[in-house]
């Protein structure tokens, strides 16, 4: 319920930017409807489960909660609201969606599965994860707006995390924990830097808006799972856990999602750093405070990659807690 | 100084070199001095490490945490130390040439490219000395990124396009093939997250099909080794300026690719390589075809730098093929072939660069008679070509001798035919040019610079040529240096 309220509040914030960009209203409406419906369905599911009118009612309640959380976590095919909402959202609102609300929903989904680990739930989660990793990657490849790309990159990353959760065990949970953090960071950075990329264009962005370019580049590198970023540790752990269980398809999908990220990431990075900016003068300037904030976050995330050891440890413990390990 | 400190300094020196080059970019004299001084210092440190290494075999240097991607692990072992020594010396020779080439108005020399060159050397050294599968992957990824910057540093459309192809091919191969292969080896290892050490991580009775699949994925995933179809990056970057090509093809990227394959076979697969015979046979066939075919394709190229790059890919395919043989002779053949071909290609690239800087000539046909005007440069070029073809007593002959013997020992006698075909094509592509450089009459008004090629350009070429002749005396010491590998065999 709290997640639904947070989502609706973010949708309201998105709607308030309609004065500048009327297109934001459509995205805000989709997000509002999704979170309102997910909140209601989730609440109904919780009530059904709490009522304990029999095992079927309990299972039905759990399923409703599960799908409500999956929709809020941007897992495909319930992620249709993401692209529309994020493509027109201001940086802060977009980052709020993909770096806070959806990761929190994914985390809750993990806790939900960990509390009642059954084969059926694990398989449904694995299926949702597989569809998310595949569909999110394909949509990210087709995305032209960086903000929309952030949403789809998150969907792909969250899909990998969901598959890892479904793999189960301490290794799978640790991989999921790391990947959740990586997906949230990647999408958050891409979303935060998206307005600058939208305003100035990608060509020569490193010279026009160096802080935004650095944030965008780092976000893309984390999404790719590039070495020395938290994304690499996450992907390694997931592929290893999936292979251990004999889920080759999950390992292949995780590798495929990384490969797709290399393509869409490389496509964005090349013009940013190796092309000259267009000649026409640009009047727009990023707010100084936003630049400072973005710089601080970028440095923090870069440090996170270099100090991934403690993060991996914490993520492993958190993942184990999700999986219900002692 | 102990071996651990030397290992740290060898890894750090090129990093400091690259950062310093960028910091002093506005002061060309200071920048060039810094660049050469640190390259020579790295070579000295690598030599000291090679001397100290036998007493510290197995020493581990861990940076950061042990989780994959959270840190790096380096290990002193004979193969890695030898390769690090080769990279450091080759890049030191190249550094002197680069400064001379830049001062002669050579194409593609600026602070950006010099900085990326130093960082490429750092990444290559990290890969050579890597002690874990994750570190190998991280170092190769870093090498891809830094060499991308090196190729793109010129900034024009052609460079950017070549760099883009280079990045796309190497990253795609690494992400789609090498990454899952390394994770699978790590997962299947008797001791997961173990350091790379003899006799390998995989158990000797590892499933044969899985071993073959993993071997093919590993070799193709290391795109730097340029085994087709991942050789596309080498084709794309073949037209890079000679100063870039010399480092990329002759010192850090292509030789390191063949070396990483060798390292992963020896320390990763170990005895399980016997289980991967099917995969190894397929790859040896591809390497043989490349050895014979790429030199032939070189004939279709008119630009000298392209010809050298194609011949290099052909010759290194021989080294990669030898690396797949789980025998001491295969290891010696691979390592010696890598050293000889890398040095030969470096000298040939530098000679081509000196010719371009002094005369503006880039086409092989225009080299006729240049030996009469640039005797030292063209003599170096001729020695490099003779060595690459495989004529004794130059370095290339001994690698090839071991290569054919090792292949015959494993029943792959046809490899000698591929080698012979490659040698004939190589002679046609480069040897004839070297002969015509001395036999044809000198061209009129050849120099675009009044003073021709400066000593700073010619000296590294001459030193490289002398080393090509002198490597013969290092054959026994190198074999003895590697002896602990097979002495440790169970």
């Amino acid at each position: 319920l709290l997640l639904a309220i947070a989502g609706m509040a973010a949708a309201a914030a998105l709607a308030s930017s309609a004065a500048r960009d009327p297109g934001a209203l459509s995205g805000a409406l989709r997000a509002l409807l999704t979170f309102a419906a997910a909140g209601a369905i989730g609440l109904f599911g919780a009530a059904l489960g709490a009522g304990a009118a029999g095992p079927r009612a309990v299972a039905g309640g759990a399923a409703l909660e599960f799908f409500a959380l999956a929709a809020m976590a941007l897992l495909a095919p319930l992620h249709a609201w993401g692209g529309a909402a994020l493509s027109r959202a201001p940086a802060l609102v977009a980052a709020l969606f993909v770096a806070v609300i959806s990761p929190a929903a994914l985390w809750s989904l993990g806790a939900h599965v960990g509390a009642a680990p059954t084969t059926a739930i694990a398989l449904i989660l694995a299926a949702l994860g597989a569809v998310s990793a595949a569909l999110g990657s394909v949509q990210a490849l087709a995305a032209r707006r960086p903000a929309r790309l952030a949403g789809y990159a998150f969907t792909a990353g969250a899909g990998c995390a969901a598959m890892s959760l479904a793999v189960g065990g301490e290794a799978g949970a640790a991989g999921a924990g790391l990947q959740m953090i990586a997906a949230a960071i990647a999408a958050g950075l891409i979303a935060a830097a998206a307005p600058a990329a939208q305003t100035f264009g990608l060509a020569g962005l490193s010279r026009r808006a160096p802080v935004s370019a650095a944030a965008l580049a780092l976000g893309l590198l984390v999404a790719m799972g590039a070495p020395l970023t938290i994304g690499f540790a996450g992907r390694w752990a997931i592929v290893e856990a999936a292979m251990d269980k004999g889920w080759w398809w999950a390992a292949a999908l995780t590798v495929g999602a990384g490969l797709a990220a290399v393509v869409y990431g490389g496509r964005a990075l090349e013009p940013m750093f190796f092309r000259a900016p267009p000649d026409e003068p640009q009047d727009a300037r990023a707010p100084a405070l936003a630049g400072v904030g973005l710089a601080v976050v970028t440095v923090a995330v870069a440090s996170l990659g270099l100090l991934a050891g403690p993060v991996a440890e914490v993520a492993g413990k958190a993942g184990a807690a999700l999986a219900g390990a002692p | 100084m102990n071996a651990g400190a030397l290992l740290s300094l060898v890894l750090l020196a090129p990093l400091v070199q690259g950062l310093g080059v960028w910091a002093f970019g506005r002061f060309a004299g200071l920048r060039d001095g810094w660049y050469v001084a640190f390259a020579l210092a790295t070579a000295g440190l690598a030599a000291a490490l090679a001397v100290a290494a036998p007493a510290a075999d197995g020493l581990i240097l861990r940076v950061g945490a042990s989780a994959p991607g959270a840190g790096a692990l380096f290990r002193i072992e004979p193969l890695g130390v030898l390769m690090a020594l080769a990279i450091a010396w080759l890049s030191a020779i190249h550094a002197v040439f680069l400064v001379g080439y830049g001062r002669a108005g050579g194409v593609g020399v600026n602070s950006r490219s010099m900085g990326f060159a130093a960082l490429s050397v750092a990444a290559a050294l990290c890969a050579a000395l890597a002690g874990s599968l994750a570190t190998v992957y991280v170092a190769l990824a870093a090498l891809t990124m830094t060499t991308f910057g090196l190729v793109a540093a010129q900034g024009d459309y052609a460079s950017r396009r070549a760099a883009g192809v280079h990045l796309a091919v190497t990253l795609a191969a690494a992400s789609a093939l090498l990454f899952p292969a390394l994770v699978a080896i790590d997962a299947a290892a008797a001791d997961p997250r173990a350091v790379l050490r003899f006799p390998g991580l995989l158990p000797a009775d590892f499933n044969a099909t899985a071993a073959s699949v993993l071997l093919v994925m590993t070799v193709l995933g290391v795109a730097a080794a340029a085994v087709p179809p991942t050789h596309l990056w080498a084709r794309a970057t073949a037209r890079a300026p000679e100063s870039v090509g010399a480092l990329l093809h002759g010192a850090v990227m292509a030789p390191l690719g063949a070396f990483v394959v060798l390292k992963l076979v020896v320390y990763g697969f170990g005895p399980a390589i016997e289980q991967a015979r099917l995969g190894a046979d397929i790859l040896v066939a591809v390497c043989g075809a490349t050895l014979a075919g790429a030199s032939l394709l070189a004939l279709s190229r008119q630009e000298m730098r392209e010809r050298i790059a194609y011949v290099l890919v052909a010759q290194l395919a021989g080294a990669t093929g030898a690396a797949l043989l789980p025998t001491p002779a295969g290891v010696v053949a691979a390592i010696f072939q890598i050293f000889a071909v890398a040095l030969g290609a470096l000298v040939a690239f530098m000679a081509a660069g000196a010719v371009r800087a002094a005369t503006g000539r880039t086409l092989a046909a225009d080299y006729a008679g240049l030996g009469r005007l640039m005797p030292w440069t063209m003599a170096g070029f001729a020695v490099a070509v003779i060595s690459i073809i495989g004529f004794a007593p130059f370095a290339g002959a001994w690698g090839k001798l071991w290569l054919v013997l090792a292949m015959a020992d494993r029943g792959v006698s046809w490899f000698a035919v591929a080698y012979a075909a490659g040698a004939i094509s190589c002679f046609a592509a480069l040897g004839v040019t070297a002969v015509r450089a001395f036999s044809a009459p000198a061209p009129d008004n050849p120099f675009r610079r009044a003073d021709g090629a400066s000593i700073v350009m010619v000296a590294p070429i001459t030193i490289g040529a002398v080393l090509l002749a002198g490597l013969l005396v290092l054959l026994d010491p190198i074999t003895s240096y590697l002896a602990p590998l097979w002495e440790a065999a169970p």
Side-chain angles (χ1 to χ4, degrees):
Chain A
L1 186 61
L2 284 174
L3 281 170
I5 292 169
M8 287 190 284
L14 173 56
S16 70
S17 69
R20 262 185 316 173
D21 180 5
L25 267 184
S26 160
L29 186 64
R30 283 204 206 188
L32 190 68
L33 286 176
T34 303
F35 277 92
I41 291 171
L43 200 60
F44 179 63
L48 204 60
R56 275 194 182 178
V58 172
L64 288 176
E65 280 184 84
F66 184 93
F67 282 106
L69 286 169
M72 290 192 274
L74 271 173
L75 285 181
L78 309 168
H79 68 309
W81 64 272
L86 295 172
S87 64
R88 302 290 182 143
L92 199 61
V93 176
L96 191 65
F97 273 125
V98 292
V100 179
I101 297 172
S102 290
L106 188 61
W107 185 265
S108 305
L109 190 65
H112 192 70
V113 172
T118 64
T119 311
I121 285 183
L123 284 178
I124 293 170
L125 190 62
L128 275 182
V131 172
S132 300
L135 201 59
S137 298
V138 170
Q139 288 182 306
L141 284 170
R144 288 289 173 265
R145 284 171 173 261
R148 197 178 272 267
L149 175 67
Y152 295 138
F154 180 83
T155 296
C160 296
M163 285 191 290
S164 191
L165 269 176
V167 164
E170 225 167 294
L178 278 169
Q179 182 62 22
M180 280 184 207
I181 296 172
I185 284 173
L189 281 175
I190 297 170
Q198 196 67 40
T199 307
F200 299 115
L202 284 174
L205 187 67
S206 61
R207 282 177 237 176
R208 284 257 161 92
V211 175
S212 296
L216 186 53
L218 191 58
L220 289 168
L221 288 173
V222 174
M224 285 181 205
L228 300 182
T229 68
I230 189 82
F232 179 71
R235 277 191 204 284
W236 185 290
I238 292 176
V239 173
E240 200 168 49
M243 282 178 173
D244 261 349
K245 192 166 179 175
W247 283 17
W248 293 92
W249 56 270
L253 274 171
T254 305
V255 170
L259 195 60
V262 168
V263 175
Y264 62 71
R267 211 170 51 192
L269 288 171
E270 192 271 333
M272 277 162 57
F273 290 96
F274 291 94
R275 272 192 217 166
D279 289 335
E280 68 265 24
Q282 295 276 358
D283 296 332
R285 283 178 64 86
L289 196 59
V292 171
L294 200 53
V296 170
V297 172
T298 305
V299 171
V301 172
S303 317
L304 202 63
L306 293 173
L307 305 169
V311 180
E313 203 175 309
V314 171
K317 282 181 185 167
L322 274 187
Chain B
M1 197 179 294
N2 64 37
L6 283 169
L7 177 61
S8 310
L9 288 175
V10 166
L11 297 170
L12 274 175
L15 276 178
V16 178
Q17 180 190 18
L19 297 177
V21 162
W22 282 332
F24 304 135
R26 297 179 69 179
F27 313 102
L30 183 59
R31 176 196 70 188
D32 292 354
W34 178 274
Y35 186 75
V36 172
F38 266 83
L40 294 174
T42 307
L45 288 166
L49 177 65
V51 171
D57 192 16
L59 184 87
I60 285 173
L61 172 68
R62 199 184 286 278
V63 183
S66 60
L73 192 148
F74 303 98
R75 180 169 176 266
I76 291 181
E77 44 80 22
L79 273 180
V81 170
L82 269 185
M83 190 64 202
L85 181 65
I87 292 168
W89 277 80
L90 292 172
S91 54
I93 292 171
H94 175 265
V96 178
F97 170 79
L98 186 66
V99 168
Y101 183 74
R103 288 177 175 260
V107 183
V109 182
N110 51 41
S111 300
R112 207 175 189 189
S113 69
M114 289 171 86
F116 277 120
L119 296 186
S120 303
V121 173
L125 288 170
C126 287
L129 294 163
S132 70
L133 295 171
T135 307
V136 169
Y137 185 81
V138 171
L140 284 179
L143 183 64
T144 295
M145 301 306 287
T146 50
T147 48
F148 168 74
L150 179 65
V151 176
Q154 218 180 325
D156 61 336
Y157 176 76
S159 303
R160 283 208 321 268
R161 189 173 161 72
V165 173
H166 166 65
L167 186 71
V169 172
T170 44
L171 271 190
S175 305
L177 298 171
L178 186 62
F179 179 72
L182 295 187
V183 177
I185 294 170
D186 198 42
D191 179 15
R193 309 272 156 80
V195 295
L196 287 168
R197 63 157 65 94
F198 205 79
L201 293 177
L202 290 180
D205 58 350
F206 192 64
N207 179 281
T209 310
S212 285
V213 171
L214 286 181
L215 184 67
V216 172
M217 287 173 72
T218 302
V219 173
L220 296 183
V222 183
V227 174
T230 56
H231 69 297
L232 294 174
W233 70 267
R235 200 175 71 173
T237 55
R239 286 181 73 91
E242 289 81 354
S243 58
V244 173
L247 190 69
L248 191 69
H249 298 291
V252 293
M253 189 82 182
L256 187 87
F259 172 77
V260 168
V261 170
L262 175 67
K263 182 162 188 158
L264 291 176
V265 166
V266 172
Y267 297 132
F269 284 82
I273 193 73
E274 290 289 0
Q275 298 291 99
R277 283 326 305 165
L278 176 64
D281 287 348
I282 293 170
L283 289 167
V284 166
V286 173
C287 290
T290 309
L291 178 56
S295 294
L296 204 59
L297 282 177
L299 279 169
S300 67
R301 304 283 138 179
Q302 299 311 312
E303 289 271 349
M304 180 50 79
R305 53 195 163 169
E306 285 187 271
R307 282 196 178 189
I308 301 169
Y310 274 62
V311 166
L312 175 82
V313 167
Q315 296 296 322
L316 282 177
T320 308
L324 300 170
L325 303 177
T327 61
V331 173
V332 172
I335 202 86
F336 219 72
Q337 176 78 349
I338 291 169
F339 290 175
V341 173
L343 183 56
L346 179 73
V347 173
F349 265 118
M350 290 192 302
V355 167
R356 186 182 188 182
T359 71
R361 285 166 164 74
T362 59
L363 301 180
D366 293 342
Y367 275 46
L370 281 184
R372 296 172 188 274
L373 300 166
M374 303 172 71
W376 289 97
T377 300
M378 292 316 294
F381 178 78
V383 167
V385 170
I386 291 168
S387 173
I388 292 172
I389 293 170
F391 284 133
F394 298 104
W398 313 112
K400 289 183 179 64
L401 179 67
W402 278 88
L403 179 63
V404 172
L405 286 176
M407 287 289 180
D409 192 40
R410 296 293 294 183
V412 195
S413 305
W414 60 263
F415 210 84
V417 179
Y419 156 62
I424 293 168
S425 309
C426 180
F427 179 78
L430 297 178
V432 172
T433 306
V435 170
R436 282 183 51 77
F438 287 97
S439 62
D444 297 329
N445 299 321
F447 294 116
R448 71 175 187 188
R449 294 169 53 83
D451 53 348
S454 75
I455 183 72
V456 189
M457 268 194 288
V458 177
I461 296 168
T462 311
I463 291 169
V466 169
L467 281 177
L468 278 170
L471 268 181
L472 166 65
V473 298
L474 292 178
L475 185 58
D476 272 347
I478 287 176
T479 313
S480 308
Y481 201 84
L482 294 175
L485 278 182
W486 33 93
E487 281 167 6

